[in-house]
Amino acid sequence: MASLFESGIPSTYSLSSSHRPLSSAGPSSMADTLPNINFGFDDLRERMARFTHRFDDFIAEGRKRVLEERNQFKMNVAELEETTRLKSHSLTILSSQRATHTSLLAREAVELTDSRSALASITSQRDANLAHRTRLLSSLTTTQSQIAARQTAQRQHAERLDAQSSLNAPELRFWEEYLCMQIEGAGMADRLKFVFTHVNKKDWEREAWFELCTEKRDYEVGVCRPKVEVEKVEACVERLNESRDLTAFLKGMRGLFVEAMG
C-alpha cells in the first residue's frame, strides 16, 4: 500500500515546459513567478480506486472464507455434539448392561455357592444313607439268620410237641376220666380253666373249677369256684412250682374242692 502511494507521488516536481525568464520585459505577479507543479492526482485517484476495489475483494473473500469456516466449524461442532450424544447414550447403555451383567454375575456366584453347598449336603446325606444302608443290610442279614435259627428251633420244638402230644393224649384222657376233669379255655391266651365234676356227693353234676395262669415261669391260680382256703391253694401252687408235677397239683386241687363241697 505504501508502494502504491509512493508510486502515485512523483519523486521530483514536474515543472511546466515553458518557463518564464526571471527577467521579463513587463511587470508580473508573485503567482506568475511560482513554478507550475503537476501532483498526479488523477493517476493517484485511479490507483486508489484499483486498490479499494482489490481491498474490497480481499475483505469480501475474507468474509466469505470466515463465514464458510464458521459454518464448517458449526457443522463440525454439531457433528461432534451428535457424536458425543451418541457416545454418551452408548455409554449409558453399556453402563446399564454392565450393571445388569455385574448383578447377573453376583447372582450366579450366589447360586453357585448355594449349589455347591447343596451338593456337599446331598453328598454328605448320600454317604450317610450308604453307611446306614450298609448297617441295615448287615442287621438284616443278622436278623434273617436269627429268624432262620428261630424258625428251625420252633419247627424242632413243634415236632417235639407233636411227638409229646401223641404220648400225652392217652394220659390226658386217662386223667380226665380218672379225675372227672375237663380242660377249657379261660378267654385269655395264657390261662387254662380246669373244670371238675363228681366232687359233691349230693350232686355229681355240680362243677368246681379254677383258672391256672401260665404267663410266668411260676404258675399262679386265679379265680376258684367255689371258694377254697387261700393258704391251701397257695401251698398246692408252691409244690407245683417246685416239682413241676401237674398231676399231683390237679389231685390236690380236686381234694380241696371235695373238702369244700363235701
Side-chain angles (χ1 to χ4, degrees), residues 130-154:
L130 289 176
H132 183 62
R133 178 176 177 271
T134 302
R135 291 193 299 270
L136 288 179
L137 289 176
S138 177
S139 177
L140 179 61
T141 302
T142 303
T143 303
Q144 288 177 344
S145 300
Q146 294 176 354
I147 291 174
R150 289 183 180 180
Q151 288 177 345
T152 302
Q154 288 178 355

Side-chain angles (χ1 to χ4, degrees), residues 161-178:
L161 289 178
D162 292 340
Q164 184 66 33
S165 63
S166 62
L167 299 177
N168 291 339
E171 184 178 0
L172 180 60
R173 285 195 298 271
F174 170 76
W175 288 111
E176 286 179 349
E177 294 176 359
Y178 179 74

Side-chain angles (χ1 to χ4, degrees), residues 2-10 39-41 43-44 47:
S3 62
L4 291 176
F5 283 106
E6 290 176 356
S7 60
I9 300 175
F39 286 96
F41 285 110
D43 184 47
L44 179 60
R47 289 184 180 185

Side-chain angles (χ1 to χ4, degrees), residues 92-164:
T92 303
I93 295 174
L94 290 176
S95 298
S96 177
Q97 292 177 351
R98 179 183 178 184
T100 303
H101 185 64
T102 303
S103 177
L104 180 62
L105 288 178
R107 186 165 60 250
E108 288 180 352
V110 173
E111 291 177 356
L112 180 60
T113 302
D114 294 341
S115 299
R116 287 178 178 175
S117 177
L119 181 61
S121 178
I122 292 173
T123 302
S124 177
Q125 185 66 29
R126 183 201 62 183
D127 295 339
N129 290 337
L130 289 176
H132 183 62
R133 178 176 177 271
T134 302
R135 291 193 299 270
L136 288 179
L137 289 176
S138 177
S139 177
L140 179 61
T141 302
T142 303
T143 303
Q144 288 177 344
S145 300
Q146 294 176 354
I147 291 174
R150 289 183 180 180
Q151 288 177 345
T152 302
Q154 288 178 355
R155 186 167 53 253
Q156 294 175 355
H157 181 66
E159 292 175 355
R160 289 195 298 269
L161 289 178
D162 292 340
Q164 184 66 33

Side-chain angles (χ1 to χ4, degrees), residues 46-98:
E46 183 181 356
R47 289 184 180 185
M48 287 298 294
R50 289 198 303 267
F51 171 76
T52 301
H53 180 72
R54 291 175 60 188
F55 185 76
D56 291 340
D57 292 340
F58 174 77
I59 294 299
E61 185 68 24
R63 288 179 178 177
K64 180 179 180 182
R65 184 169 63 251
V66 170
L67 182 60
E68 290 177 352
E69 291 178 354
R70 185 174 62 180
N71 292 334
Q72 185 64 37
F73 177 75
K74 289 182 178 180
M75 292 176 62
N76 293 337
V77 170
E79 291 179 358
L80 183 60
E81 290 178 351
E82 181 66 17
T83 303
T84 304
R85 188 186 65 81
L86 293 176
K87 289 185 178 180
S88 178
H89 182 65
S90 299
L91 286 176
T92 303
I93 295 174
L94 290 176
S95 298
S96 177
Q97 292 177 351
R98 179 183 178 184

Side-chain angles (χ1 to χ4, degrees), residues 188-192 211-221 241 244:
M188 300 178 65
D190 54 357
R191 289 196 179 192
L192 293 175
E211 292 180 357
L212 182 66
C213 180
T214 61
E215 180 181 4
K216 302 177 182 179
R217 183 181 182 279
D218 292 338
Y219 296 109
E220 294 179 359
V221 173
N241 290 327
R244 317 301 290 182

